[in-house]
Amino acid sequence: MTTFMIQTVKGTRDILPADMPLWLRVEAVAREAFRRYGCSEIRTPIFEKTELFARGVGEATDIVHKEMYTFIDKDSDQTSLTLRPENTASVVRAYIQHKMYNDKAQGEVTKLYYIGQMFRRERPQAGRYRQFYQIGVEVLGHDDPAIEAEVIEMLDWMLKELKITDTTLLINSVGDATSRPAYLEKLRAAAAQQLDKFCDDCKHRYETNALRMFDCKNPNCQALIADLPTITDSLDDASAQHFADFKAHLDARGIAYTVNPRMVRGLDYYTRTAFEIIGGSLGAQNTIVGGGRYDGLSETIGGPPAKGFGFAFGLDRMVLSIPPDEAERLRTASAADVFIVYLGEAAREKSFLIARELRSAGLSVALEFEERKMKKAMAQANKFHARYALIIGDNEIATGMYGLKNMTTGEQESLDLESIKSKLLGG
RNA sequence: GCGGGUAUAGCUCAGUUGGUUAGAGCGCCAGAUUGUGGCUCUGGAGGCCGUCGGUUCGAGACCGACUACUCGCCCCA
């Protein structure tokens, strides 16, 4: 490989065929969960007006501040456009734009899900990419804590289905539109008294997003933070009740969780319930799922009041979290029902026709265009993880009876084409 | 935006204090009697040692710059 060769842009990557079984598995499990829980798919544009994210996600966030891929359109207005850094703002925008709430009965919720790539210009590291994939759900139209517990129950099922067991559910309440600012003021007042003892990062956080001081990894800061008031102690009555109900719903479902009063989420739109699911095998970027309630987002982007709760999980990180033995199982799952081994030119021509017939019947058929020695062809059948090898030579063509070898047991029998077809279809 | 690490075969990596023709495992190719895979054995192909410059009689090893990748910080999925 020369240095002249054009390669992928930093922070982006190709997902190669060897890994696709894992990606498809996660997507299939997610879609099955969404089917069971009544979520409908929505696809929004990959770029939107910059203003949507600036207002929706929050001007003060790092995402908006320094991580967006923003460019000027070529129209006369020089519209500023941005590759989506997340999808909640877009989904809520679509919900409002198409007035999806109008045909709903009183209290009926709209459950939407999406699968797609997001873009953030961050420094890449383990489990973090500039183009990354998220699968998310937004439940709009109501603020019942039972919704939150049900959504988490759904995630719980998905993780179990993917054999990802090494996870922890962290929950917190970040208060509502009035209690959060009041708390922030209290927090900043408390922190201000010994601000000089904090690290430089925390001093910066104090200015931009004081809640994030709780996340500091500096042990010295952690000691100072322990004395600061937490938001759970400052919740208004309604938010406190909401949080209690949420926990009761989790308990009723037997879902384990850890209340972390210091867990905050980075996006401005979160209110009340916030949660994270962290994994144990991911390195520093260990958040697999992040989500929460965002009851004020709709108004922020110019819509009517609309309650919302949702999550997004990192598909990249979910794939990384699949345990090695499960990943190996997925990779080696039979790719083809049958691999055709042919010997000689006449058999080669016949094989093409038989392959077509088997494929028409719905079978997955592999065969190679270059003739190989039988030994080598059998080795190929093995490499393809084919369930069966179908052997076609001059004798077989003459008699109409073909060799069908079970690649797992090694047993081989001689059958006519119809019998082969029904045997393969029968499993 | 800020730190650390790495760069040798298709892949994962060895390579002594600088010293002949640069190694292993896996993979690939060819064999171990005829039309039967996995296991084993034998042989083979395949490297401008990231790029450029410097030190030296001599550099894959040492130094510098650049580039790429990677891990972490900030932040986040």
Side-chain angles (χ1 to χ4, degrees):
Chain A
M1 189 179 324
T2 72
T3 51
F4 304 111
M5 187 194 151
I6 298 171
Q7 299 188 39
T8 48
V9 172
K10 182 195 290 290
T12 69
R13 59 187 176 147
D14 302 311
I15 298 156
L16 300 172
D19 284 327
M20 282 311 298
L22 308 187
W23 288 72
L24 292 174
R25 173 66 181 160
V26 175
E27 289 181 26
V29 166
R31 286 183 195 277
E32 175 59 17
F34 300 149
R35 186 188 70 79
R36 294 186 186 193
Y37 284 82
C39 306
S40 305
E41 183 167 8
I42 184 168
R43 299 189 187 185
T44 62
I46 253 169
F47 57 88
E48 301 255 10
K49 288 178 183 164
T50 302
E51 192 183 6
L52 174 67
F53 304 119
R55 285 164 61 182
V57 179
E59 291 280 5
T61 62
D62 272 19
I63 289 176
V64 170
H65 193 227
K66 61 180 195 183
E67 295 172 1
M68 294 203 303
Y69 280 99
T70 296
F71 56 97
I72 302 299
D73 198 8
K74 292 178 179 172
D75 60 3
S76 54
D77 293 337
Q78 304 241 299
T79 307
S80 178
L81 304 178
T82 293
L83 265 36
R84 61 184 186 192
E86 59 102 52
N87 209 27
T88 299
S90 298
V91 170
V92 172
R93 192 224 77 236
Y95 176 76
I96 299 164
Q97 182 173 335
H98 303 288
K99 297 187 167 56
M100 296 173 73
Y101 42 81
N102 264 354
D103 59 351
K104 298 291 176 188
Q106 180 78 27
E108 183 181 349
V109 294
T110 305
K111 298 180 179 179
L112 302 170
Y113 80 86
Y114 58 85
I115 298 179
Q117 53 278 76
M118 311 296 154
F119 305 85
R120 291 181 203 170
R121 198 179 185 290
E122 302 174 272
R123 192 72 174 265
Q125 64 190 71
R128 169 193 285 169
Y129 306 92
R130 288 183 173 181
Q131 172 175 323
F132 60 103
Y133 298 78
Q134 285 190 332
I135 296 183
V137 166
E138 313 295 348
V139 181
L140 296 154
H142 211 307
D143 65 352
D144 194 317
I147 293 169
E148 300 162 12
E150 187 182 85
V151 164
I152 287 170
E153 172 192 300
M154 179 171 73
L155 281 165
D156 195 53
W157 179 82
M158 287 169 50
L159 290 168
K160 283 194 178 77
E161 198 69 7
L162 292 167
K163 313 286 190 245
I164 301 171
T165 53
D166 187 16
T167 60
T168 307
L169 168 64
L170 303 177
I171 62 171
N172 192 21
S173 176
V174 297
D176 68 7
T178 53
S179 68
R180 180 143 86 151
Y183 163 71
L184 263 176
E185 207 164 303
K186 203 156 73 174
L187 172 65
R188 285 167 55 90
Q193 295 187 347
Q194 29 189 357
L195 191 61
D196 54 325
K197 294 180 190 161
F198 280 93
C199 69
D200 289 346
D201 280 337
C202 278
K203 286 173 186 155
H204 180 248
R205 292 185 182 108
Y206 173 82
E207 297 296 337
T208 57
N209 188 353
L211 277 175
R212 293 225 70 92
M213 293 173 77
F214 286 122
D215 276 355
C216 188
K217 284 156 189 158
N218 184 320
N220 184 44
C221 292
Q222 277 300 325
L224 296 168
I225 286 160
D227 296 331
L228 297 178
T230 63
I231 195 160
T232 31
D233 296 331
S234 311
L235 291 181
D236 57 285
D237 291 346
S239 291
Q241 185 59 50
H242 184 98
F243 193 46
D245 289 347
F246 169 56
K247 286 186 288 189
H249 279 113
L250 288 178
D251 290 336
R253 287 168 166 78
I255 295 171
Y257 57 85
T258 302
V259 177
N260 182 353
R262 309 196 188 320
M263 186 200 72
V264 293
R265 304 220 33 83
L267 280 45
D268 280 2
Y269 52 60
Y270 286 115
T271 56
R272 291 190 169 169
T273 307
F275 75 98
E276 245 174 56
I277 297 175
I278 59 174
S281 57
L282 282 173
Q285 308 304 319
N286 64 350
T287 303
I288 302 176
V289 189
R293 176 159 293 287
Y294 45 86
D295 291 339
L297 177 56
S298 176
E299 289 121 299
T300 304
I301 60 177
K307 311 290 187 185
F309 178 81
F311 70 81
F313 70 73
L315 192 41
D316 311 69
R317 292 181 188 176
M318 198 68 98
V319 166
L320 281 173
S321 300
I322 297 173
D325 51 344
E326 173 70 357
E328 183 59 20
R329 189 186 70 77
L330 293 169
R331 281 185 217 279
T332 56
S334 286
D337 293 316
V338 60
F339 181 95
I340 300 181
V341 173
Y342 57 83
L343 300 155
E345 186 56 32
R348 179 174 188 261
E349 294 304 317
K350 182 72 175 172
S351 294
F352 295 147
L353 300 180
I354 289 176
R356 182 178 65 174
E357 185 171 342
L358 295 177
R359 285 165 172 161
S360 298
L363 292 160
S364 165
V365 180
L367 84 168
E368 298 200 303
F369 297 101
E370 185 170 315
E371 185 173 1
R372 296 172 194 275
K373 288 185 174 178
M374 186 160 191
K375 198 181 189 62
K376 190 62 199 169
M378 290 301 296
Q380 287 297 101
N382 197 50
K383 189 173 154 186
F384 274 66
H385 304 298
R387 290 164 54 220
Y388 289 90
L390 177 58
I391 296 152
I392 304 175
D394 292 339
N395 295 341
E396 285 78 5
I397 294 174
T399 61
M401 300 293 280
Y402 303 93
L404 187 67
K405 179 167 184 172
N406 183 318
M407 294 300 285
T408 308
T409 65
E411 289 166 15
Q412 183 171 329
E413 54 191 328
S414 194
L415 299 168
D416 62 42
L417 202 51
E418 281 309 310
S419 306
I420 287 169
K421 210 189 290 182
S422 57
K423 185 178 177 87
L424 292 177
L425 285 169

